[in-house]
């Protein structure tokens, strides 16, 4: 497979100096900081926006779940045994499973 682009890149890599310093060019860090400061402040950081959305969704789920539990508890309050019947059913199922 003859690819002239790959051949040219391999020849360039073979001719490269081995003792070339591994550091950023002069002024690179200054340019990066200048670009970072130049960004609009309304844009925000993506991770912070994601965490804010996750927190809002988690709070909404918590509120909906709490409302459901309160509704179930108030419905069972008429029987004066909140969540009593479910525990009796589960207990009898466990006892019937392990009794000889």
């Amino acid at each position: 497979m003859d690819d002239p682009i790959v051949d040219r890149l391999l020849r360039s890599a073979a001719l490269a100096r081995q003792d070339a310093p591994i550091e950023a060019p002069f002024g690179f860090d200054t340019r990066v900081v200048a670009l970072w400061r130049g960004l609009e402040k309304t844009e925000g950081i993506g991770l912070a926006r994601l965490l804010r959305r996750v927190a809002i969704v988690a709070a909404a789920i918590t509120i909906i779940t709490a409302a459901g539990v309160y509704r179930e508890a108030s419905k069972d309050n008429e029987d004066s045994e909140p969540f009593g019947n479910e525990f009796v059913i589960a207990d009898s199922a466990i006892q019937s499973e392990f009794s000889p």
Side-chain angles (χ1 to χ4, degrees):
M1 178 170 163
D2 290 327
D3 192 0
I5 297 173
V6 173
D7 290 338
R8 188 180 66 172
L9 289 173
L10 290 174
R11 273 195 309 272
S12 304
L15 296 174
R17 295 184 316 174
Q18 296 294 330
D19 59 342
I22 303 175
E23 60 185 37
F26 178 73
F28 180 76
D29 51 349
T30 308
R31 286 180 294 192
V32 170
V33 171
L35 286 173
W36 175 63
R37 287 185 179 173
L39 292 176
E40 292 183 27
K41 297 300 178 184
T42 59
E43 189 174 308
I45 299 174
L47 183 61
R49 293 168 87 191
L50 174 67
L51 289 176
R52 190 177 321 136
R53 289 179 184 165
V54 167
I56 290 171
V57 169
I61 290 172
T62 302
I63 290 170
I64 291 170
T65 304
V69 168
Y70 177 74
R71 185 171 175 228
E72 283 294 317
S74 65
K75 185 170 54 171
D76 285 338
N77 237 357
E78 297 165 358
D79 301 333
S80 74
E81 281 187 38
F83 303 111
N85 293 337
E86 290 88 357
F87 292 127
V88 171
I89 293 170
D91 190 40
S92 70
I94 291 170
Q95 286 179 0
S96 66
E97 187 69 31
F98 290 112
S99 63

